[in-house]
Amino acid sequence: MTALDHLPYGVFSTSDRRPRAGVLVDDRVLDLADAAESGLLDSDPSLYAQPALNAFMAAGRTVWRATRDALRDLLQDEVEALVPLAEARLHLPFEVADYVDFYSSRAHAENLGRLFRPDSQPLTPNWLHLPIGYHGRSGTVVVSGTPVRRPSGQVKPPDADAPAFRPSARLDIELELGLVIGTPSDLGEPVSADQALEHVFGVLLVNDWSARDLQAWEYVPLGPFLGKSFATSIAAWVTPVDAIPRVAAAPQEPEPLPHLRAAGRAVFDIDLEVDLNGETISRSSARNLYWTAEQQIAHLTSNGAALRTGDLLASGTISGDDPGSRGSLIELTWNGAEPLELADGSERTFLEDGDEVVLRARTAGFALGEVRGRIEPTA
Ligand code: CA
């Protein structure tokens, strides 16, 4: 394995360069605009001389593949003028169009069902028939490293008579993988599961920060709103779909309706990890996703809704069956009943001010871009 197997894309700036597209090569960044300008890449420099990857993303799979092939050829040899990563400031890699968050890990859905609806079936009746999702707030998607301020909001504990407005006391993480849509689809024309991946530019880690106390009071009947929209962190680097191995997904029972079936249904083979203050508290895998990327896209567009360049489709929290593979604190601590004991002797149920969470992902011998965020006190 070499860095040439990964080659993720991002947006960077330096003291003398405005934000523009770059590709990561080990711990250095190649300026794609410069490379195209000097003829090293056979594509239009204007695709890269921008503070977001969207123009390149919209160019489509033929261009993505040609660029990736050209980069792999070019980088076989020592290339001058790579920028050390330490000298680069990393920016949000693309302008986020719509942000959709799915709920596609069965273990996560079952855990939350057991926690919140102990007297009924863990899965809601629709869960095995469609990939449940909601529309989130794209304007507050932030790049890895951005501090996360503890939100305030309305909360009403079960034993309280009335709600109060106060800082969240149950601030949580959600370990997720996001799809980044490159080429749009046409309004009114569903994208079939078999065609869906043609639209996907790449994949990155997502931390869907969640204020559980705000969420619990507000979510009936329209779903998550302010309990999620204060911040969603994504990696600075987008890994091309072509770089990620996929493995066959387990058969689905019941078999989904025809529009959600895909030939050779497969999941991304990516190992995932959650670190809290430098200590690993969960190890999961994207193989734990029941609904695949193709099925999520087929479902999202099945009513004729169009994909847009820059859409971010997050998987939902990725938990496995093993308790050590749960992707959120509400699951890891079983709604606070079983606090985590950290190496420094402290305990955690939910996040405290100053806590730093890092999501990590590995596949095929390389690490995807991490997602890092530290909790700041309420303003
Ligand atoms: Ca989520």
Side-chain angles (χ1 to χ4, degrees), residues 99 101-102 108 134 174 176 208 210 228 314 316-317:
Y99 166 41
D101 194 14
F102 286 99
H108 173 71
Y134 68 94
E174 292 194 337
E176 307 197 16
D208 176 27
S210 299
K228 302 272 194 178
T317 310

Side-chain angles (χ1 to χ4, degrees), residues 172-303:
D172 200 353
I173 55 151
E174 292 194 337
L175 167 64
E176 307 197 16
L177 202 62
L179 306 172
V180 180
I181 297 298
T183 41
S185 66
D186 294 327
L187 185 65
E189 295 189 14
V191 175
S192 73
D194 291 330
Q195 289 295 311
L197 281 189
E198 295 293 315
H199 294 268
V200 180
F201 174 73
V203 168
L204 44 55
L205 276 169
V206 177
N207 187 348
D208 176 27
W209 305 94
S210 299
R212 300 299 182 193
D213 38 6
L214 277 61
Q215 186 184 351
W217 173 233
E218 74 177 2
Y219 89 104
V220 180
L222 290 186
F225 192 44
L226 304 186
K228 302 272 194 178
S229 64
F230 55 94
T232 306
S233 298
I234 63 172
W237 299 103
V238 185
T239 297
V241 170
D242 285 345
I244 304 175
R246 300 200 307 146
V247 292
Q252 291 178 308
E253 179 57 43
E255 187 177 23
L257 291 169
H259 70 289
L260 295 177
R261 293 177 199 160
R265 216 174 56 91
V267 284
F268 294 113
D269 189 10
I270 301 176
D271 293 323
L272 305 166
E273 185 179 301
V274 180
D275 292 359
L276 173 59
N277 298 336
E279 188 175 335
T280 302
I281 59 169
S282 176
R283 288 191 173 85
S284 184
S285 167
R287 295 182 297 276
N288 289 324
L289 289 169
Y290 183 89
W291 294 105
T292 65
E294 304 98 300
Q295 291 177 308
Q296 291 168 343
I297 291 169
H299 177 59
L300 188 155
T301 61
S302 62
N303 66 346

Side-chain angles (χ1 to χ4, degrees), residues 4-5 8 18 62 76 93 147 170 204 210 217 251 254-255 280 304 338:
L4 301 187
D5 294 315
R18 287 184 296 176
T62 305
Q76 296 284 349
R170 293 161 66 81
L204 44 55
S210 299
W217 173 233
E255 187 177 23
T280 302
E338 301 168 12

Side-chain angles (χ1 to χ4, degrees), residues 330-377:
I330 195 170
E331 294 168 89
L332 287 163
T333 69
W334 211 244
N335 205 16
E338 301 168 12
L340 291 178
E341 291 178 20
L342 301 181
D344 66 2
S346 65
E347 288 191 341
R348 282 296 179 288
T349 49
F350 293 94
L351 295 171
E352 297 187 1
D353 291 346
D355 280 352
E356 185 177 57
V357 175
V358 183
L359 307 185
R360 300 183 193 280
R362 288 196 69 80
T363 186
F366 61 78
L368 280 72
E370 66 179 25
V371 177
R372 182 178 293 267
R374 187 183 292 279
I375 304 304
E376 291 190 338

